[in-house]
Amino acid sequence: MASVGDKLGPYTLHERINAGGQSEIWLATDEENRSFAVRLMLNDSMFAFGDRRRFITGCETLQACQDGHYIIGYVEHGKIGGQLALVMEYVEGENLKLLMNAGDPVLTENIAEVLIEFASALEVVHDRGFMHLDVKPENVLLSRNGSLRLIDFDLAQPIPNPPRKLDRLSGTPAYMAPEQLLKQPVDHRADLWAYGVSAYELLTFRKPFPGENADEVLRRQIDRSEFIRPREINGDIPADLERIVLRCLEKDMERRYPITSVLVHELKQALYQS
């Protein structure tokens, strides 16, 4: 277990800023006193095959998706000071889930830019040939000056053509597309569904298909009798923006946006002309 002051190669750990079941993230500085976020894998034993594979695949996907704007910056990954680690850009800010729960003005006052940049981040990932598969507000950071970064690529996979069934059901059920929960073939359009759920939540402070478990979420996705359109909750939402969110939430993936660039284009039209 890492501690304040520990050295990993050229990096000194200063503060643990996040922790989960598989890893923890530390604020660190290098020998030139530059700040970085260092993610450490907690179970690095030789028998943790699945965890190590996901960690390394996530690092490699992040490295392949660098754009300098909307994706968290990649520095290096591998064994550093004897420990499996990922070194990233350090962003002073919070994820969208925390900002939403706090009603933080950095989110509410920049919501149009956030929605466009969030979709633009997915456009980068998809254009590089990957689907993220864990799109949700918790995996999007927003700095104090409103700069957005998509994070956590552990579940990412190459976009299949044609769509194919996933080997395992991983992620957060509230943001999973119906085809994922039904264990049917998926492609990048599962990310567009998750974006639609996230956008709905950021605009209304509610989930479109709430549920205590995956089965209840799926029932609400398919049935829709209890579904409330975003503008019924928040009348300030532009009609064109509601139309875009609803298209992302089409239960038939063929009715969603075929490519993410079309989503980004329509968001810009809807929000910059509002």
Side-chain angles (χ1 to χ4, degrees):
M1 204 67 151
S3 302
V4 173
D6 283 358
K7 294 276 291 184
L8 270 78
Y11 305 102
T12 301
L13 305 184
H14 295 286
E15 178 187 357
R16 189 171 67 176
I17 53 181
N18 200 356
Q22 307 297 332
S23 64
E24 54 187 22
I25 299 176
W26 285 77
L27 169 62
T29 54
D30 67 1
E31 293 164 343
E32 298 176 26
N33 207 34
R34 296 176 298 181
S35 295
F36 298 93
V38 177
R39 183 179 177 213
L40 303 176
M41 184 173 165
L42 293 177
N43 182 6
D44 194 15
S45 78
M46 63 182 294
F47 298 108
F49 305 116
D51 291 346
R52 291 174 64 192
R53 183 173 63 250
R54 280 191 295 276
F55 186 96
I56 293 170
T57 298
C59 295
E60 293 172 344
T61 306
L62 172 62
Q63 184 178 11
C65 291
Q66 290 298 285
D67 77 317
H69 296 288
Y70 310 121
I71 309 296
I72 194 73
Y74 168 90
V75 179
E76 64 173 311
H77 78 275
K79 286 282 188 178
I80 303 174
Q83 192 159 354
L84 188 57
L86 165 65
V87 183
M88 301 171 285
E89 164 193 21
Y90 173 65
V91 174
E92 190 171 348
E94 298 285 2
N95 69 56
L96 296 187
K97 179 181 178 181
L98 292 174
L99 294 174
M100 180 173 53
N101 290 344
D104 195 304
V106 74
L107 173 59
T108 54
E109 293 173 7
N110 296 283
I111 188 63
E113 290 81 3
V114 166
L115 291 173
I116 291 169
E117 293 184 6
F118 191 170
S120 297
L122 290 179
E123 182 182 16
V124 172
V125 176
H126 295 166
D127 284 352
R128 302 294 168 85
F130 298 95
M131 47 187 182
H132 187 278
L133 294 180
D134 201 14
V135 173
K136 55 185 178 180
E138 193 173 356
N139 282 338
V140 180
L141 298 180
L142 195 64
S143 71
R144 300 312 302 176
N145 65 4
S147 179
L148 180 144
R149 297 289 189 274
L150 180 65
I151 65 172
D152 200 342
F153 287 72
D154 279 12
L155 300 183
Q157 295 187 26
I159 297 173
N161 186 18
R164 67 169 178 81
K165 294 181 181 180
L166 300 176
D167 296 332
R168 52 182 290 175
L169 190 65
S170 300
T172 306
Y175 301 93
M176 287 185 184
E179 61 269 20
Q180 287 175 278
L181 294 174
L182 289 167
K183 300 181 181 177
Q184 295 175 346
V186 306
D187 63 12
H188 64 287
R189 289 168 290 185
D191 283 348
L192 298 185
W193 170 279
Y195 173 85
V197 174
S198 300
Y200 183 110
E201 190 174 9
L202 292 168
L203 292 164
T204 67
F205 297 91
R206 302 186 195 180
K207 289 186 172 65
F209 308 104
E212 295 297 322
N213 53 54
D215 289 340
E216 189 174 346
V217 171
L218 178 61
R219 180 188 65 77
R220 290 175 183 266
Q221 290 176 352
I222 301 300
D223 177 36
R224 303 245 173 172
S225 62
E226 301 170 51
F227 178 73
I228 304 172
R229 296 172 71 94
R231 279 167 54 86
E232 295 178 47
I233 303 169
N234 180 358
D236 292 335
I237 298 171
D240 283 347
L241 178 56
E242 180 185 69
R243 175 186 56 78
I244 291 167
V245 172
L246 293 178
R247 184 171 180 186
C248 291
L249 293 176
E250 288 281 358
K251 59 185 175 184
D252 179 358
M253 67 180 185
E254 297 293 340
R255 296 173 64 89
R256 294 175 215 149
Y257 290 95
I259 54 175
T260 316
S261 58
V262 178
L263 166 63
V264 173
H265 175 73
E266 290 197 6
L267 281 167
K268 289 178 178 178
Q269 282 193 317
L271 292 170
Y272 287 157
Q273 296 176 8
S274 298

